[in-house]
DNA sequence: ATGTCTTTGTGAACGCGTGCACAAAGATGG
DNA sequence: CCATCTTTGTGCACGCGTTCACAAAGACAT
């Protein structure tokens, strides 16, 4: 019904803004580093620098969680680690399934960053019969036919999709039907899910394209002559609105 | 200039909002699909549905690029593909280097999504001498000692970091010193870069943690959460401020 | 106790992004 | 040529997120 929304709908997150939630893992990582070095307390200024954010923003973020600091001193590192972990739901163990064990899926399965937090890879699933039974990251790959049973048996509510784009929506539908309510999508496709299901996507090529945009802008900033058509505010007349397609040989892109 | 800012500074993107730039690749992908199916024109409504966004938002996004539509008809697919490609800088070829050819790096090297757009993997670089010369994705891995020379010879301005967290900042510094001005960072660390260098990060575990937060909220929306159930790594020490003021008043932490 | 000093927590202003709703523009048919 | 219909392009209002700036709160010294 709903077109794939990578955005959360209205999600009145019980007072915690979405932007703040997205930064909590960042703070948590910085705090974990301090904790390992046995640093007892940290000021908002120091922690903000470690997390790469503004200190005022950090303090406001923490204010949504409660008053966990001590004025004149700062924040207790261990205490804050626990509070953020609890808020993020990392004090419990989250079983996840990974579907699509190709290059990327296998790399993700081997990635240690999951287990270090509260996540446990419960199963690796692939549709290719040739993959079934093969060991990846010390775990036997299971066939997609058993997807529903695997999810049910393990009480999985978070799924990771690393299949080719063509298979992603179908896999997504099956995951949702089986009870998964959060999906991390690595396939370059827009997923359609019903309300109540969260989807986050990670798209490698999109990130590169965004970088390319800024890179192009940087290349032509000192002396712009390239792509100067759309440069100024001049509405319309930017190019010729010719119906035809690629007639414009406006490239003129110099590079290197 | 030292503080790592993963955010673009003020980036007065010459009129094009950052949020719009981030969606252009999405539109481009949807349009490419239509193009392959030889669809001549598309309305904002249809294209928005394919890209998973609001149609008004899409129209406003396109309005920043210029007036490329025809009222009463829609947008010419081929023409729009070209315009967006040009705006994103994809009409030229971007050589990129990938540093850190471990599990993830190798998977990224094999990922076809890069080459399909205007990106070309110019070199794979790893610090491990045992990796040097090995073939990954049909390309010989080169040693990190030659990093500067490789970047210079190939005119590389975009780098991908897929090293362990501990090596990321050092690699980043060398890339920047060698002339790289855009970095895609997969290492779970905050990178410090000078002004003028763009950094985008992709952090797998952070995405999962954000999902876990929403998942926890969903699970405990009717009833309060059962965070006490797991209590995995919850040392008593963390349950209260260590410094002092236990008598003071421990802020009402327990919302349960 | 009192004063000073440090740092938090937050009220308020500002800017950006989003979505509505509609007028303008062009296609299409008579 | 005029009427009607479709779809774009955008003015406007609203809400979220960011940042500033400062009062409140506690630590610490005397």
């Amino acid at each position: 019904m709903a077109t794939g929304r990578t955005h959360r709908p209205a999600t009145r997150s019980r007072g915690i803004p979405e932007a703040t939630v997205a930064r909590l893992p960042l703070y948590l990582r910085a705090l974990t580093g301090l904790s390992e070095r046995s640093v007892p307390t940290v000021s908002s200024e120091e922690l903000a620098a470690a997390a790469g954010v503004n200190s005022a923003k950090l303090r406001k973020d923490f204010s949504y969680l409660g008053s966990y600091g001590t004025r004149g001193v700062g924040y207790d590192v261990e205490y804050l680690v626990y509070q953020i972990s609890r808020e993020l739901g990392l004090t419990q163990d989250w079983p996840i399934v990974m579907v699509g064990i190709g290059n990327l899926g296998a790399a993700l399965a081997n990635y240690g960053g999951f287990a270090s937090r509260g996540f446990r890879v419960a199963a690796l699933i692939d549709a290719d019969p040739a993959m079934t039974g093969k060991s990846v990251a010390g775990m036997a790959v299971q066939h997609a036919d058993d997807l529903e049973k695997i999810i049910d048996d393990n009480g999985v509510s978070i799924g990771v999709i690393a299949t080719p784009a063509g298979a992603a929506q179908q896999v997504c539908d099956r995951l949702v039907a089986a009870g998964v309510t959060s999906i991390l999508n690595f396939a370059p496709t827009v997923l359609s899910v019903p309300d109540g299901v969260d989807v986050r996507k990670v798209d490698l090529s999109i990130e590169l394209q965004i970088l390319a945009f800024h890179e192009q802008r940087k290349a032509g900033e000192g002396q712009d002559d390239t792509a100067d058509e759309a440069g100024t505010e001049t509405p319309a007349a930017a190019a010729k609105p010719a119906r035809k397609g690629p007639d414009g040989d406006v490239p003129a892109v110099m590079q290197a």
Side-chain angles (χ1 to χ4, degrees), chain A:
Chain A
M1 40 192 70
T3 46
R5 51 178 13 149
T6 40
H7 251 52
R8 80 276 117 98
T11 321
R12 39 125 178 75
S13 296
R14 199 63 84 201
I16 301 185
E18 187 63 20
T20 295
V21 172
R23 280 189 293 268
L24 290 182
L26 223 53
Y27 302 143
L28 184 56
R29 176 184 299 155
L31 285 165
T32 302
L34 292 172
S35 174
E36 286 169 357
R37 285 160 40 207
S38 299
V39 177
T41 62
V42 64
S43 71
S44 66
E45 203 70 49
E46 295 168 323
L47 185 55
V53 302
N54 184 295
S55 69
K57 192 187 298 185
L58 178 141
R59 287 198 299 275
K60 178 143 288 192
D61 282 342
F62 286 175
S63 78
Y64 292 115
L65 307 183
S67 289
Y68 293 157
T70 304
R71 302 184 186 217
V73 176
Y75 299 92
D76 182 277
V77 172
E78 296 299 329
Y79 185 60
L80 204 47
V81 164
Y82 172 70
Q83 289 299 339
I84 294 180
S85 293
R86 191 173 59 83
E87 196 67 50
L88 283 173
L90 304 182
T91 52
Q92 59 183 290
D93 192 66
W94 293 101
I96 66 178
V97 294
M98 197 165 296
V99 187
I101 314 299
N103 283 319
L104 185 57
L108 294 176
N110 279 295
Y111 180 55
F114 297 146
S116 69
R117 303 292 183 266
F119 303 98
R120 177 173 51 85
V121 178
L124 305 179
I125 302 176
D126 199 286
D128 182 4
M131 284 294 297
T132 305
K134 282 191 65 175
S135 176
V136 173
M139 186 174 301
V141 175
Q142 302 183 63
H143 193 268
D145 286 347
D146 303 325
L147 187 145
E148 286 77 9
K149 176 169 167 36
I150 294 168
I151 290 174
D152 200 53
D153 289 352
N154 293 277
V156 172
S157 56
I158 301 179
V160 178
I161 297 180
T163 67
Q169 183 62 58
Q170 188 179 355
V171 167
C172 174
D173 292 342
R174 288 183 64 186
L175 286 174
V176 170
V180 167
T181 46
S182 288
I183 291 177
L184 182 53
N185 179 34
F186 285 88
T189 318
V190 176
L191 292 181
S192 295
V193 296
D195 279 358
V197 177
D198 282 299
V199 175
R200 295 192 68 86
K201 74 169 158 40
V202 174
D203 194 308
L204 317 177
S205 87
I206 283 186
E207 298 299 326
L208 273 184
Q209 290 175 55
I210 296 172
L211 285 178
F213 172 83
H214 292 295
E215 197 61 37
Q216 184 184 41
R217 227 170 34 77
K218 277 185 268 186
E221 81 180 351
Q223 188 70 293
D224 84 295
D225 56 324
T226 69
D228 59 350
E229 321 208 87
T232 47
E233 305 286 7
T234 323
K240 17 35 209 330
R243 291 288 298 277
K244 267 317 272 302
D247 78 312
D249 51 4
V250 200
V253 278
M254 54 72 173
Q255 197 271 326

